[in-house]
Amino acid sequence: MPPLATPPDASLAPFDRLLAIMNDLRTHCPWDKVQTKESLRRLTIEEAYELSSAIVADDWEEVKKELGDLLLHIVFYAKIASESQGFGIEEVITQLCEKLVRRHPHIYAEVEAGDEGQVRQRWEALKLKEGNRSVLSGVPEALPALVKAFRLQEKARGVGFDWDTPEQVWAKVEEEAREFAEVRHDPDQAEAEMGDWLFALINYARFANIDPEAALERTNQKFIRRFQYLETQAQALGKQLPDMTLAEMDVFWNEAKAKGL
């Protein structure tokens, strides 16, 4: 069995400095002094999305910045907990380390690693042994629906509940598309069938090793660039979009596509 992980040789002085600064802010800054876990929650979600945007943009400098912002929030929550709940960042890190060791017996115990699929299945089995009532219980209720669908499918896959081939999944996508087409004029049924269709499409993205959230965000950003180009060109001609025909707007849209925007 390999030895337990040891801290890297790099100095931990920056982390110690961060903790010291957090103590100073909590003691002396009027804003930081009054923050609670509830008041920070929304800001933490924003920081997570900003990190996600930086990752989608493949901007490593921005990733570095957003990681720092997210780390600040983690330290902040731990500081608040140390004041009222009796645990601090040390316990947070210790608990995490123990969980990682416990859930990687193929690294820290005499267990064969197997392939990625076996590791995933063992991970979910260990979580159930630790008290999780359901394989799906680890998926947060507050996740956006698209991300939640992807994670639910991943969790089910972890215990073997999955399709065998991408072709089977694609057949399901086509089946759900047909079912939606049959009821698309019925608002209630159309919503339900659209949900099934999207769920199947997300499932296919997973089989194709495509992150559907990242894929959709890339398309969102592409739409923004092209539409803003349209707005800029229309403004240069002294035109307002509501006064233009769709054909006129399409000219600028196609220009944007040709420019690779």
Side-chain angles (χ1 to χ4, degrees):
M1 183 181 73
L4 294 181
T6 55
D9 293 335
S11 172
L12 295 178
F15 187 68
D16 291 337
R17 184 185 180 202
L18 172 60
L19 297 180
I21 291 173
M22 184 74 257
N23 289 338
D24 290 341
L25 297 180
R26 191 66 172 166
T27 303
H28 302 294
C29 174
W31 185 87
D32 290 281
K33 287 167 65 174
V34 299
Q35 296 310 305
T36 65
K37 68 182 190 300
E38 290 80 12
S39 67
L40 289 174
R41 175 180 174 275
R42 176 182 57 80
L43 299 176
T44 306
I45 293 171
E46 290 180 9
E47 294 296 351
Y49 274 105
E50 288 176 4
L51 173 60
S52 176
S53 295
I55 292 171
V56 171
D58 196 25
D59 186 338
W60 279 103
E61 280 301 312
E62 196 65 17
V63 167
K64 179 171 65 175
K65 171 182 172 294
E66 298 302 339
L67 285 173
D69 291 343
L70 204 53
L71 177 58
L72 171 61
H73 279 246
I74 293 170
V75 169
F76 210 147
Y77 286 116
K79 177 61 178 176
I80 293 172
S82 71
E83 299 165 352
S84 61
Q85 301 300 314
F87 72 84
I89 192 67
E90 298 87 354
E91 289 86 354
V92 172
I93 296 173
T94 297
Q95 186 178 70
L96 172 61
C97 290
E98 291 174 350
K99 180 173 69 174
L100 290 173
V101 170
R102 187 171 62 250
R103 291 190 183 174
H104 290 80
H106 51 288
I107 302 296
Y108 299 106
E110 300 296 335
V111 175
E112 291 296 324
D115 58 19
E116 182 268 344
Q118 290 178 322
V119 171
R120 186 187 297 268
Q121 289 185 11
R122 187 180 297 120
W123 178 279
E124 297 299 342
L126 287 169
K127 289 178 68 175
L128 289 175
K129 287 183 179 179
E130 291 170 8
N132 283 16
R133 290 175 296 176
S134 167
V135 169
L136 305 181
S137 62
V139 180
E141 282 296 322
L143 280 179
L146 189 151
V147 179
K148 184 189 291 186
F150 189 81
R151 292 294 292 132
L152 289 172
Q153 293 166 5
E154 283 193 319
K155 291 288 186 179
R157 175 194 176 194
V159 293
F161 186 77
D162 204 1
W163 300 91
D164 294 322
T165 68
E167 289 74 24
Q168 292 173 321
V169 186
W170 186 250
K172 186 64 175 176
V173 171
E174 294 179 321
E175 175 190 328
E176 297 296 350
R178 289 192 298 270
E179 291 181 2
F180 172 76
E182 292 171 0
V183 300
R184 71 184 192 279
H185 298 302
D186 182 324
D188 290 334
Q189 291 191 60
E191 179 178 331
E193 294 299 340
M194 174 62 77
D196 292 346
W197 188 12
L198 288 172
F199 195 86
L201 195 56
I202 291 167
N203 217 354
Y204 185 78
R206 181 174 57 85
F207 262 76
N209 293 317
I210 295 171
D211 180 344
E213 171 73 13
L216 183 57
E217 180 57 19
R218 286 182 65 178
T219 297
N220 288 341
Q221 293 301 319
K222 180 170 60 178
F223 181 87
I224 290 170
R225 291 193 302 272
R226 291 177 180 177
F227 193 84
Q228 289 179 339
Y229 177 86
L230 188 163
E231 290 178 309
T232 300
Q233 296 304 110
Q235 186 178 22
L237 295 177
K239 295 184 176 183
Q240 298 294 322
L241 295 187
D243 300 326
M244 297 174 63
T245 66
L246 181 58
E248 289 175 319
M249 287 190 280
D250 272 344
V251 171
F252 297 134
W253 184 268
N254 291 327
E255 284 182 7
K257 289 177 64 176
K259 291 176 178 291
L261 298 179

